[in-house]
Amino acid sequence: MNIITKSVIIFIMLFVNQTSFGIKSAETAAFAIEKRIDKLLAQMTLAEKIGQMYQFSYAKADMSAELAELVRSGKVGAFLAVTDVKLRNKLQKIAVKESRLGIPLIFGLDVIHGYRTIFPIPLGQSATWDLRLAEKAAAIAAKEARSEGIDWTFAPMIDIARDPRWGRIAEGFGEDPYLCSLMAQAKVRGFQGKNLSATDTIVACLKHYVAYGAAEAGRDYNSAEVSERTLRDIYMAPFRAGVKAAAATVMSSFNDIGGVPASGNRFILTDVLRGEWGFDGFVVSDYESIKEMINYGIAADEAQAGEKAILAGVDMEMASRCFLNNLARLVKDRQVPEKVIDEAVRRILRVKLRAGLFEHPYVDPNLAGSETLQNDSLQIAREMVRKSLVLLKNDGGLLPLRKDIPSIAVIGPLADNQRDLLGAWCGRGKAEDVVTLLKGIKNKVSSTCRIHYIKGCDIKDNSLGQFDAALNIADKSDVVIMAVGESADMSGEAHCRTSLDLPGVQRQLIKAIHKTGKPVIVVLFTGRPLTISWLYENIGAVLLAWHPGIQGGNGIADVLFGDYNPSGKLAVTFPRNVGQVPLYYNHKNSGRPPAASDPFTSKYIDCPWTPLLPFGYGLSYTAFEYSNLEIKPDKVRLGQPVSISVEVENKGTKAGEEVVQLYIRDLVASVARPVKELKGFEKIRLAAGQKRKVSFTLTAEQLKFYDIDMKFTVEPGVFKVWAGPSSIQGLEGTFEIF
Ligand code: NOJ
């Protein structure tokens, strides 16, 4: 045996040993946790158990003697929205030192796209198609939040959204289950890290389980009418992925699914989440959603609502007190078995133990703030802004601008605006931290460049009062940058719209400036897809900036002036008009797919059926060319993988990044399959003139769907494949599974 073979064998032996040791120690730790829970459960009174199942919402309260007593007597297990570190420690001290069993509380907050360092809204983050960055942003948010006493975030929000009227589309990762699943996993990894009990990680919560984004008519809290197949294939997919990534908690949503509200839905919470996916963390109900089952008309009172929720599989109740006030009697009357309560408490204690709360229940108030807004974090935030920007149009290479351009007019209600760049759900973010677009431009241009600024109008107002002054500065400038869009409070929870147009007189303002004949660049700030056909047809360059967070101005200026070549791609379809929604790329073909020559096909008489901008779309300052699609083998036995490769060449003069996208279509199956489904992507960087082969492996697992018998399976047959720069472009091929 030569020396190389010997060392390989030793390495393998060591590796095998270490791995089995790793598995062993994880098993031992899990066993120790369960033992500890057994011991605690054996000592707990029924009232103390029920107390663990209640999350107190601090947003509506004050620290009072009554609250202290509630904690002391073990009647609270968790808090929502306690943002003062000292108060948090005070409450925790009562729980740990003064309650009978000393079980620590867990403190939760909505840390959605950053805690103090606010990153782009999630819909913008998904436009980066950069999982590493998405994970990093979550890790930064976790570190900042934990240092200020937040143990648990209600994120990632992974609701698939196909309707831009729904304000909460801003909070999620778009319309595609594959991209959303990978983003969900990246976020869970970022928040929870490798060690959930470390002092810089926090407990993640997959929400809102499930189909909350399917709210009818895009109206928040509304019913979701989805088939079980669509529920599983589309809406549940990211949750399944998040559970695989070991997310510790899940939130049951407000909506009903076919008449059964999520918080009282045993099928989704118990049969699927636990039975099929093996989830062993706990489920928290969304804010008062248990009590709201009375409004739904499926519970006569809070007691019945509580009974339905616990039997369905909710473990902790947020805000309302259906559990707290009724479970003891329900157990006594034998309507709820005590072992169901025990199981719920076991899950809650499991997460508290895994999160290390028993070992380090307090945070050091002297360190509060020490982790926030660190330089590295700001750099990552800026990187994420640049990468989230989607260049929608760039006629004649209007962008990038030269830094020594003699003069620029900056016009629009979002140009010198801090608050609205934060977006919805901005944690502990502060407007004063935001670099505005105007500031970002000033930071970037050379000292000789004259910048003229005017707001022009407010976001929502109807006054044309500043139009003349705006025209005046446009006239004396070489180029006009217009910052328009939605305010932060036009998206997010309970902020749905029936119009997707630019609000107020902003479009009129753009039209007036456009008439001057000056080159116009529009920077669009928004929490959702807007209807921008006019802009798209008439304006030279349009850059989509979402609500970009505190480094917004710097990141946008990086792109406007060419220090970064834009690479963002839409994770959501932009419709032409609101009458087209819901509109999404992975729709089914129908029996009468749209055909120009045949009026009796699936389309409109007053508008094309296609979107203005498709899923996956986004331009660059350079040009990428795709060639040599190879599919190997093109006939494969069921269960065997298929290798797909494509060559991508940067034909332009600038280095750039491209998101190479892989789509498939299952041509004949037992149920109608989407006309396209994203199955892979890779973000690559190519120097000018560089060419690279990008390879994907399609496994049987990736081709599975819920078949006619609702079995998750792959069926033999022919599959189409596309590799390209968006959901409507790409090289095409086929393979067959036999
Ligand atoms: C209600 C929202 O639907 C949910 O997303 C959030 O986490 C909770 N309120 C707590 O703030």
Side-chain angles (χ1 to χ4, degrees):
M1 200 184 300
N2 68 26
I3 184 87
I4 299 182
T5 328
K6 250 192 194 160
S7 38
V8 168
I9 289 177
I10 290 172
F11 174 77
I12 291 173
M13 281 167 64
L14 275 177
F15 179 75
V16 168
N17 247 338
Q18 267 195 2
T19 324
S20 57
F21 177 73
I23 293 170
K24 269 244 169 64
S25 65
E27 269 174 13
T28 319
F31 186 72
I33 284 182
E34 298 308 309
K35 279 273 154 226
R36 214 160 152 192
I37 299 172
D38 288 342
K39 218 167 145 194
L40 275 171
L41 275 174
Q43 298 173 71
M44 288 170 91
T45 63
L46 180 61
E48 284 165 340
K49 291 176 189 169
I50 295 166
Q52 284 302 311
M53 300 166 68
Y54 172 48
Q55 180 172 35
F56 189 99
S57 169
Y58 196 75
K60 289 186 184 166
D62 277 325
M63 179 63 174
S64 60
E66 191 202 342
L67 178 56
E69 191 40 42
L70 214 58
V71 177
R72 194 171 294 119
S73 57
K75 294 212 173 94
V76 189
F79 272 86
L80 164 64
V82 175
T83 48
D84 174 327
V85 183
K86 287 196 177 127
L87 173 63
R88 182 225 183 258
N89 280 346
K90 207 159 146 187
L91 288 164
Q92 189 69 301
K93 200 167 165 198
I94 300 174
V96 172
K97 299 262 188 249
E98 298 174 31
S99 79
R100 204 173 66 87
L101 295 170
I103 300 174
L105 300 159
I106 182 166
F107 293 84
L109 185 75
D110 292 279
V111 179
I112 308 296
H113 53 112
Y115 178 75
R116 178 77 190 267
T117 302
I118 302 300
F119 298 90
I121 54 167
L123 193 58
Q125 294 198 21
S126 56
T128 66
W129 299 57
D130 189 330
L131 303 172
R132 181 196 57 90
L133 205 52
E135 181 178 334
K136 266 196 184 168
I140 290 167
K143 182 176 71 172
E144 292 190 348
R146 194 79 186 239
S147 77
E148 297 206 345
I150 302 303
D151 316 301
W152 178 24
T153 176
F154 302 111
M157 192 282 215
I158 50 175
D159 295 310
I160 296 291
R162 295 170 153 184
D163 190 333
R165 292 173 298 182
W166 189 52
R168 303 198 80 170
I169 197 169
E171 287 175 59
F173 299 105
E175 72 189 34
D176 181 65
Y178 178 75
L179 180 56
C180 190
S181 295
L182 295 186
M183 280 286 171
Q185 294 187 324
K187 289 295 177 191
V188 172
R189 285 196 303 271
F191 287 132
Q192 298 193 166
K194 287 203 171 74
N195 177 7
L196 189 51
S197 69
T199 49
D200 61 353
T201 56
I202 54 177
V203 173
C205 182
L206 308 175
K207 74 182 189 186
H208 306 81
Y209 189 64
V210 63
Y212 184 41
E216 270 187 357
R219 188 155 54 85
D220 212 358
Y221 317 118
N222 207 2
S223 292
E225 213 33 83
V226 285
S227 67
E228 184 181 338
R229 184 164 293 102
T230 301
L231 189 66
R232 285 177 177 275
D233 273 340
I234 305 293
Y235 293 98
M236 281 182 169
F239 289 88
R240 190 163 181 256
V243 168
K244 258 195 192 152
T249 70
V250 168
M251 184 186 290
S252 59
S253 55
F254 286 124
N255 56 289
D256 71 290
I257 302 136
V260 188
S263 293
N265 196 318
R266 191 170 166 85
F267 167 69
I268 64 161
L269 297 177
T270 297
D271 300 351
V272 177
L273 181 65
R274 289 173 178 123
E276 294 181 24
W277 303 343
F279 174 67
D280 71 352
F282 73 82
V283 172
V284 60
S285 55
D286 202 350
Y287 208 101
E288 296 194 339
S289 63
I290 296 184
K291 184 166 139 194
E292 287 170 13
M293 289 200 277
I294 300 171
N295 288 344
Y296 269 110
I298 71 151
D301 51 27
E302 293 193 11
Q304 198 181 13
E307 179 185 344
K308 289 207 169 183
I310 181 74
L311 293 178
V314 175
D315 304 304
M316 184 184 279
E317 180 173 10
M318 187 189 286
S320 49
R321 297 188 175 184
C322 305
F323 281 1
L324 192 70
N325 295 339
N326 300 288
L327 283 184
R329 194 182 51 72
L330 288 167
V331 170
K332 208 164 139 245
D333 294 351
R334 294 179 188 280
Q335 277 163 278
V336 173
E338 189 162 351
K339 69 173 188 338
V340 175
I341 308 270
D342 285 354
E343 197 44 44
V345 177
R346 173 177 295 279
R347 295 177 188 131
I348 293 166
L349 294 177
R350 190 181 284 146
V351 172
K352 286 186 174 182
L353 282 159
R354 283 181 186 166
L357 283 165
F358 285 77
E359 280 65 47
H360 41 81
Y362 308 110
V363 281
D364 184 346
N366 298 320
L367 292 181
S370 61
E371 297 289 350
T372 55
L373 299 179
Q374 289 182 348
N375 271 339
D376 291 1
S377 311
L378 298 183
Q379 282 313 316
I380 299 288
R382 183 172 183 159
E383 188 186 345
M384 188 168 249
V385 174
R386 303 157 142 202
K387 291 192 167 177
S388 70
L389 303 174
V390 187
L391 184 62
L392 302 179
K393 186 177 179 189
N394 192 21
D395 269 3
L398 179 52
L399 285 174
L401 297 172
R402 286 170 38 189
K403 290 178 194 159
D404 61 354
I405 187 167
S407 58
I408 306 174
V410 180
I411 301 173
L414 283 132
D416 195 22
N417 179 323
Q418 291 184 301
R419 171 61 191 98
D420 290 306
L421 265 58
L422 288 174
W425 284 118
C426 53
R428 304 286 290 156
K430 290 195 169 34
E432 71 208 42
D433 300 335
V434 173
V435 179
T436 66
L437 177 58
L438 184 62
K439 183 82 172 72
I441 294 171
K442 284 183 177 163
N443 289 343
K444 185 67 73 176
V445 293
S446 55
S447 56
T448 51
C449 172
R450 276 167 289 115
I451 295 175
H452 310 288
Y453 161 71
I454 190 164
K455 197 186 218 182
C457 63
D458 279 326
I459 294 175
K460 298 179 202 164
D461 81 1
N462 290 319
S463 160
L464 313 183
Q466 291 184 35
F467 273 35
D468 284 344
L471 289 170
N472 194 15
I473 66 162
D475 269 337
K476 57 182 188 191
S477 304
D478 296 291
V479 67
V480 185
I481 298 176
M482 301 201 66
V484 297
E486 290 187 322
S487 52
D489 67 0
M490 295 184 82
S491 56
E493 183 176 352
H495 288 83
C496 304
R497 299 181 64 194
T498 59
S499 160
L500 301 177
D501 291 339
L502 276 176
V505 290
Q506 296 184 76
R507 196 166 93 177
Q508 267 169 274
L509 179 64
I510 302 170
K511 278 188 171 169
I513 302 289
H514 171 64
K515 268 205 187 132
T516 63
K518 292 284 173 176
V520 176
I521 294 150
V522 165
V523 180
L524 187 62
F525 295 87
T526 177
R528 56 158 63 79
L530 294 176
T531 42
I532 51 163
S533 294
W534 185 87
L535 261 186
Y536 186 69
E537 275 149 31
N538 295 282
I539 297 301
V542 184
L543 184 67
L544 176 60
W546 313 105
H547 287 136
I550 60 172
Q551 280 294 308
N554 283 336
I556 298 169
D558 287 341
V559 165
L560 292 177
F561 294 90
D563 285 341
Y564 181 76
N565 186 352
S567 62
K569 302 267 189 174
L570 296 176
V572 66
T573 299
F574 269 51
R576 293 169 198 272
N577 74 46
V578 74
Q580 291 182 301
V581 305
L583 185 66
Y584 45 92
Y585 87 96
N586 50 353
H587 60 88
K588 297 186 188 89
N589 202 33
S590 89
R592 294 190 179 191
S597 56
D598 187 350
F600 291 94
T601 55
S602 183
K603 55 190 184 180
Y604 302 103
I605 55 169
D606 58 352
C607 174
W609 70 277
T610 53
L612 180 71
L613 303 165
F615 176 85
Y617 171 84
L619 304 174
S620 160
Y621 294 152
T622 190
F624 297 103
E625 193 180 276
Y626 286 69
S627 62
N628 289 334
L629 176 69
E630 279 186 358
I631 304 175
K632 280 187 195 156
D634 59 0
K635 276 199 171 155
V636 66
R637 196 173 291 281
L638 188 71
Q640 295 303 306
V642 179
S643 298
I644 296 158
S645 66
V646 68
E647 283 175 11
V648 186
E649 184 173 359
N650 182 348
K651 299 287 264 187
T653 53
K654 290 187 175 70
E657 287 164 78
E658 168 72 330
V659 181
V660 182
Q661 301 163 41
L662 178 77
Y663 296 87
I664 62 130
R665 177 169 175 189
D666 188 344
L667 287 180
V668 181
S670 58
V671 292
R673 302 297 304 140
V675 293
K676 268 189 185 172
E677 290 177 81
L678 182 71
K679 289 293 172 186
F681 62 87
E682 193 178 335
K683 189 159 186 165
I684 57 166
R685 184 178 169 77
L686 293 178
Q690 195 185 347
K691 190 175 190 172
R692 215 187 109 180
K693 185 169 168 172
V694 179
S695 305
F696 302 94
T697 305
L698 268 183
T699 63
E701 194 60 29
Q702 279 170 284
L703 299 172
K704 283 186 175 170
F705 62 96
Y706 287 89
D707 71 0
I708 189 79
D709 301 317
M710 213 56 82
K711 274 207 323 271
F712 194 51
T713 188
V714 47
E715 294 177 356
V718 177
F719 291 74
K720 256 195 180 178
V721 174
W722 295 262
S726 81
S727 63
I728 60 162
Q729 296 156 283
L731 302 177
E732 200 176 310
T734 57
F735 66 87
E736 188 182 341
I737 292 185
F738 62 91

